[in-house]
Amino acid sequence: MSATNSHDVVVVGSGAAGLTAAITARKSGLSVIVLEKAPVFGGTTAFSGGVAWIPGNPHFEDRSPEQGGTRVDREAVHTYMRHEAGPNYNRAFIDAYLDFGPRMLRFMEAETEVAFVPSIYPDYHPEAPGGVQIGRSITAAPYDARRLGAELARLRPPLKTITFMGMMFNSSNNDLKHFFNFTRSPVSAAYVAKRLGVHLLHLLRYRRGVQLTSGNALAARLAKSALDLGIRIETGATVTELLQADGRVIGVAATIDGERREFSATRGVLLAAGGFARDPLRTRSIYPHLREGGEHFTPVPEGNTGDGITLGEAAGGHLSAGLPNAAAWMPVSKVPFPGGEVAFPHLVDRYKPGFIMVTPAGRRFVNESSSYHDVGEAMIEACRGTGKTEAWLIADHRTIRKYGIGFVKPYPMPLSPHLRSGYLRRGRTVQDLAQQIGVPPEALAHEIDTYNLGARRGEDAQFGRGSSGFNRYLGDAAHKPNPNVAPVEQGPFYALRIVMGDLGTFPGLVTDTRARVLDEQDRPIPGLYAAGNDAASIMGGAYPGAGITIGPAMTFGYVAALALAGKLDDDATCEHTPDAA
């Protein structure tokens, strides 16, 4: 094996978990290489919202109450997680997260280009015991991608359905408000015009947007930090085998340009390849709606086929079981493009007043302003036994022109291309719309009439939309009296077909609190670590707040690197992720 292929640490995957680990290991004096299957780096992180849920993070902890700061109450976090995760709550892992999450963040922001800004995201269930309205979620700071230089060509672009002409929106609700209001507010019009003008200049020069936000900004910041440290990020490298000697993982074999190459790892290997959301065999056996013959359409990158988990299993690791949810569910619509359909994750529209969701039977089934995961759970349950898991997002003309719907942009952008493609359906009356989408007309008309009775007063007697701080955060604060509720009554009427998607999988390799992969007897496999979606979610199959994937991914990538560098106490108690059958 050549010297160039000999390293202290080999990292498999270039998302938040892998790059955080690589940076931390390199800063600890270890030599590191990152092997990425895709031709671009950034993983699922580059498609994400770039939010990290880290209780006790310095962006709130280090500010006074007068400055909007909040102090972490560890027992409140435990109370909230017991409520959210139920029997899958694991105190040891939450303690480790509370210990290392803030420490990781302080290190990364002090030593690298990684930067976050405070977010006013509430927990997804802020009224639950231990929940909070603010203080646990932070958002990646925007980033000028030109700092990557020639390496910009290898950064995974953002998901194209959530950009406008390739331009990314800031994760803050305030940024989107300008785009919703640019035909009604001179201030918003000026804001939008400036952003569009600058973006068009960048497109002409760089052939892509360079003012990055959300997860694309985080991926760029992590990659720039790694590259500046001399860490090699080998893209187009498919890891096919873990090399072992005397029961210890000592390296990997990978296919690059059709050739097998071996990379030794004297300290160990970290698996951070993104989980198995694109593995049809695993998802078909685990996702409940697929077991019933339903449809699933994920927006995560195509390379997330469970390679890391398969490698870990071959080395003696095992997949966690018994979680109530197999993935972070995300309602999506399928947007037609010349090269094929692309998922649009419904992160914004359904929170706004004037939208409702119904099953194929024409019935509402959920508080449409709940988190995407909660809506996904409700959608799976409402469609159970029907052979298809889908819903229709419905709005009237006034609502769709004000807010848009899915990939359809608000006024003055035209509706006609989406009507022609079949992405958007329209009916002159509610009954006409029902016939267009194959929903019983009487049922849909009755459901809308029932909803409208309360909606005209800003009330949702059936599901309580607007009763939660999280609902209201993503609603329209200018709409009174309820930022989430308005009637559906001014024709024509529109509908968009929603199917189930996900933002990543929850089951993963069983690990301990030091990110070491465990065998069937819960013994660490020497030299093997896992983080991100290759490791079992510490959230116990629950989705308590914005950023519960990226926060643990970065934290336990950091923990793995400290362990690889010998910086953690060998005698420390190391609990493992739950594996209840």
Side-chain angles (χ1 to χ4, degrees), residues 234-281:
E234 185 79 51
T235 49
T238 301
V239 177
T240 57
E241 182 185 352
L242 292 176
L243 306 178
Q244 292 180 274
D246 299 323
R248 180 179 183 84
V249 174
I250 60 168
V252 305
T255 300
I256 302 175
D257 295 329
E259 295 184 3
R260 174 188 164 90
R261 294 172 61 183
E262 293 187 355
F263 298 83
S264 70
T266 59
R267 296 293 185 98
V269 172
L270 172 72
L271 301 173
F276 61 87
R278 290 280 189 167
D279 180 347
L281 294 179

Side-chain angles (χ1 to χ4, degrees), residues 3 13 23 77 152 165-166 238 252 256 283 337 372 412 439 508 516 555 563:
I23 291 164
V77 177
L152 175 59
M165 298 169 52
T238 301
V252 305
I256 302 175
T283 54
F337 278 93
Y372 39 81
V439 168
R516 299 181 297 187
T555 298

Side-chain angles (χ1 to χ4, degrees), residues 159-162 278 297-300 332-335 337 340-346 407 423 499 501:
L159 188 65
K160 62 183 177 181
T161 53
I162 59 173
R278 290 280 189 167
F297 195 66
T298 181
V300 306
V332 303
S333 52
K334 301 169 73 171
V335 184
F337 278 93
E341 293 176 316
V342 179
F344 179 93
H346 285 262
F407 191 62
Y423 176 68
V499 299

Side-chain angles (χ1 to χ4, degrees), residues 279-470:
D279 180 347
L281 294 179
R282 284 196 200 269
T283 54
R284 196 176 301 123
S285 67
I286 294 176
Y287 289 3
H289 50 293
L290 287 181
R291 289 200 302 264
E292 293 191 1
E295 186 174 357
H296 192 88
F297 195 66
T298 181
V300 306
E302 292 182 0
N304 291 19
T305 53
D307 296 13
I309 293 170
T310 300
L311 290 167
E313 289 174 325
H318 62 290
L319 189 70
S320 61
L323 298 180
N325 292 286
W329 305 126
M330 167 58 72
V332 303
S333 52
K334 301 169 73 171
V335 184
F337 278 93
E341 293 176 316
V342 179
F344 179 93
H346 285 262
L347 294 162
V348 176
D349 49 8
R350 56 190 173 74
Y351 297 93
K352 300 295 187 281
F355 290 95
I356 64 169
M357 290 178 72
V358 300
T359 66
R363 302 297 186 190
R364 281 184 75 208
F365 61 95
V366 72
N367 175 342
E368 293 88 350
S369 299
S370 294
S371 75
Y372 39 81
H373 181 71
D374 288 353
V375 170
E377 277 193 280
M379 188 168 150
I380 290 171
E381 185 59 35
C383 296
R384 193 178 297 276
T386 66
K388 59 181 179 181
T389 302
E390 65 181 45
W392 292 94
L393 183 63
I394 292 175
D396 65 13
H397 190 73
R398 174 181 57 188
T399 296
I400 197 174
R401 294 282 63 192
K402 184 175 183 179
Y403 302 113
I405 182 172
F407 191 62
V408 180
K409 303 300 184 287
Y411 177 84
M413 300 305 291
L415 302 177
S416 53
H418 306 291
L419 292 166
R420 285 196 300 269
S421 72
Y423 176 68
L424 182 66
R425 309 290 183 88
R426 179 170 63 189
R428 183 177 54 82
T429 64
V430 169
Q431 290 80 2
D432 182 25
L433 180 68
Q435 291 174 345
Q436 295 271 351
I437 63 177
V439 168
E442 299 81 5
L444 182 60
H446 178 269
E447 203 73 4
I448 290 178
D449 287 344
T450 301
Y451 166 77
N452 284 346
L453 285 174
R456 296 186 184 102
R457 301 188 300 271
E459 299 172 359
D460 176 17
Q462 189 175 6
F463 293 103
R465 278 176 81 182
S467 60
S468 163
F470 175 72

Side-chain angles (χ1 to χ4, degrees), residues 532-571:
N533 286 348
D534 277 356
S537 171
I538 71 166
M539 301 296 165
Y543 211 116
I548 59 92
T549 300
I550 286 179
M554 295 183 70
T555 298
F556 287 98
Y558 171 78
V559 167
L562 294 180
L564 284 158
K567 292 189 173 183
L568 295 183
D569 182 2
D570 286 339
D571 296 326

